Structure formats: structure tokens, C-alpha cells
Amino acid sequence: MNNRKFSIITVTWNNAEGLRRTLQSVSALHYPCFEVIVIDGASTDSTKSVVESFAQLVTVFVSEKDSSIYNAMNKGIAHITGDYVVFMNAGDCFADADVLTRVSSTDADIILGGAKYGKDVRFVPENMTLYDVLSLGINHQSTYYKAEMLRKYGFDESYRLIADLKSVVEPMARDKATITTIPSVLSICEGGGISKQNWRDTLVENRRIVSEVIEPFYREDYLRFSRINNSMLDDFIVLSHFQSIFPLLRLIAKIMRFLNSKFKHIPL
């Protein structure tokens, strides 16, 4: 399907060198049919100069303040003319020059692939269910959306951390969107994403997706299979805000293991 057109959206803010790496990666692609949309949050560094140096590559450049990364990503959706869309934000790169060629040979509403974060490589299962998506998450740099589906759902800006996950879960749950995977690394990504840095809030948002999108019957199955019920998750979230307690709990566990090893011969 080499006649398929891809829309590559790059969101950036004060990351000129990261943007340069991303655009260099795009310029190395062998695939002939794609557009590049750069959405900049009114950067004060040399971002504009970088874009100008790739003038023949960049189709659309918007530079204005935004309210969040997902607000910027939604702005990018407004400019797409391709059949499939991928978000390769500043600092992220395609894994190799043939990525779009591989993706173009696959057909589904959503296509997922593996990603590399530093030395950490994350592949996706061959068959990925809705439960898998909710449990394992996605690599948005290796996620390809059919354009019409992305226009319908976009990114829910009331989510601060994992609106990209909801953008996959919601069409799967509501419209039975088809999903397929590619068993290779499609992107090389900058580490330290905001959802990884704020893992407690990410848990809250994941639970919110389940409550808002998943039908009650499947919602209960998800909670059961994940071994986390309502009260347990709420308690864990509250407890996790008091991180100082964890070293104490580990110390108590060590003491209990030591006492057990020394006195386990003594009958209770």
C-alpha cells in the first residue's frame, strides 16, 4: 500500500535540538508519501530557525501558545490530509528509514509497534486486546491512527497524562476499532515522559478511562483480572503519596525475615 499517505505531527516547545533530530530522522525516510506538521508552543529558542532549515520538508508550521501537549496535538489533527497519522514529537525519531514502508503493508484502524527508550526496548504482543492496551499502555510514537478515526476522537484535554491511551481505548470500546501490531521497533524515543514521572496520577487517569469508557460488565472483568478493586486502588493511591513509609515497611519486612530465619524452629 505504498500509495498511503502519512501525516507526521511533531509537537515541540523550546527543544530546538530535539526538533532537529526528529526532522533529520523524517528526512531520511525512504517512503515517498507523507506530510510533516510542526506545532510549536511559541518557543523562545531557535525552533523557528530549525524549521526554516527544513523548509522543503515541513508542510505546516504553527507557532502559538497552547494549554497542554494534548491541546497542541489536537491542533495538529486540524491540519492533516493523510490516511494515517503518527505523532513523532521533538526529540523522538523513526527507528530506521523503512518504518513507514513496514507500516504501509499493515491495515487496521490502529497500528501499534515497539519502541526503544534509551537501552529499554518495549515490544507489543502479537495479539493485543483491550485489556492488554489498558494494562500495558501504548508507545504513542509507534502508534498509527486512521485519520478519520483520529478526527472523531482526538485527544481528551481534560486528561493531563494519558489522553493518548484514551485515544486508543475509546474507539476500541465504543466503535470496535480494529487493532494490529508490528513485531519490531518503530521509534526511538526520549525518556522521562511526564506520565512516567507522575505515575500515581497516571494510575488515577487509567482508572478514570476504565470508569468512563468501558461498559460495566467488562469494567468489572478488567478490575478482577488486574487484581485491583475499587477500594484497593484508592487506598494504594492515598498510601503512595506518603513515600516515606516505604523504607520503613521494607525495614520491618527485613526484620521479620531475620526473626523468622532465627526462630522458626520455636513452635508457636
Side-chain angles (χ1 to χ4, degrees):
M1 298 184 182
N2 286 337
N3 60 341
R4 178 183 292 173
K5 181 179 180 180
F6 289 92
S7 296
I8 302 168
I9 300 177
T10 297
V11 170
T12 187
W13 182 66
N14 284 340
N15 189 5
E17 288 310 307
L19 177 62
R20 187 186 304 278
R21 290 195 302 275
T22 300
L23 294 179
Q24 286 173 340
S25 168
V26 175
S27 67
L29 292 170
H30 292 159
Y31 194 83
C33 192
F34 61 83
E35 63 183 358
V36 180
I37 299 164
V38 177
I39 307 296
D40 171 49
S43 293
T44 56
D45 62 359
S46 57
T47 289
K48 185 177 179 182
S49 297
V50 171
V51 172
E52 289 173 347
S53 69
F54 289 91
Q56 293 184 331
L57 182 70
V58 176
T59 311
V60 176
F61 176 51
V62 176
S63 183
E64 61 187 23
K65 289 186 177 181
D66 53 62
S67 58
S68 67
I69 187 172
Y70 296 118
N71 177 244
M73 291 165 78
N74 280 331
K75 288 181 181 181
I77 295 171
H79 295 279
I80 60 177
T81 63
D83 303 299
Y84 277 79
V85 186
V86 63
F87 291 85
M88 195 66 63
N89 294 340
D92 301 325
C93 300
F94 289 94
D96 57 68
D98 295 316
V99 166
L100 295 188
T101 303
R102 292 203 298 281
V103 176
S104 70
S105 66
T106 304
D107 191 28
D109 295 319
I110 303 166
I111 302 168
L112 300 177
K116 184 176 182 181
Y117 294 81
K119 296 181 179 180
D120 182 18
V121 178
R122 304 174 191 171
F123 292 103
V124 290
E126 182 178 354
N127 297 305
M128 206 159 181
T129 66
L130 182 59
Y131 175 76
D132 292 326
V133 173
L134 279 162
S135 303
L136 302 175
I138 63 167
N139 307 303
H140 81 252
Q141 304 91 335
S142 297
T143 300
Y144 290 76
Y145 304 85
K146 268 191 177 176
E148 61 266 27
M149 189 196 72
L150 190 59
R151 289 191 187 97
K152 177 178 179 179
Y153 287 100
F155 297 95
D156 185 341
E157 295 177 30
S158 68
Y159 283 74
R160 189 172 66 91
L161 301 171
I162 55 172
D164 49 348
L165 179 62
K166 188 185 180 190
S167 73
V168 172
V169 171
E170 189 164 20
M172 289 181 72
R174 298 194 190 284
D175 290 344
K176 305 297 185 290
T178 57
I179 186 169
T180 191
T181 63
I182 295 177
S184 64
V185 172
L186 301 182
S187 61
I188 300 173
C189 313
E190 286 195 328
I194 187 170
S195 63
K196 303 296 184 298
Q197 298 170 17
N198 299 273
W199 57 271
R200 292 184 299 272
D201 295 333
T202 299
L203 281 175
V204 175
E205 289 197 354
N206 185 288
R207 172 60 192 282
R208 182 182 161 197
I209 292 174
V210 174
S211 65
E212 290 182 353
V213 174
I214 308 303
E215 295 178 8
F217 174 81
Y218 300 105
R219 184 188 311 154
E220 293 307 314
D221 276 350
Y222 171 78
L223 294 171
R224 186 184 307 116
F225 291 149
S226 62
R227 299 179 184 276
I228 299 176
N229 63 29
N230 299 359
S231 60
M232 287 174 64
L233 181 56
D234 292 340
D235 292 345
F236 175 76
I237 291 168
V238 171
L239 181 63
S240 68
H241 284 283
F242 299 93
Q243 296 187 49
S244 59
I245 198 172
F246 290 116
L248 177 60
L249 292 175
R250 284 196 293 269
L251 176 62
I252 293 173
K254 286 182 180 179
I255 293 172
M256 294 301 293
R257 284 196 297 270
F258 172 78
L259 292 175
N260 183 60
S261 66
K262 293 295 183 182
F263 303 108
K264 61 183 178 181
H265 61 282
I266 300 176
L268 296 177

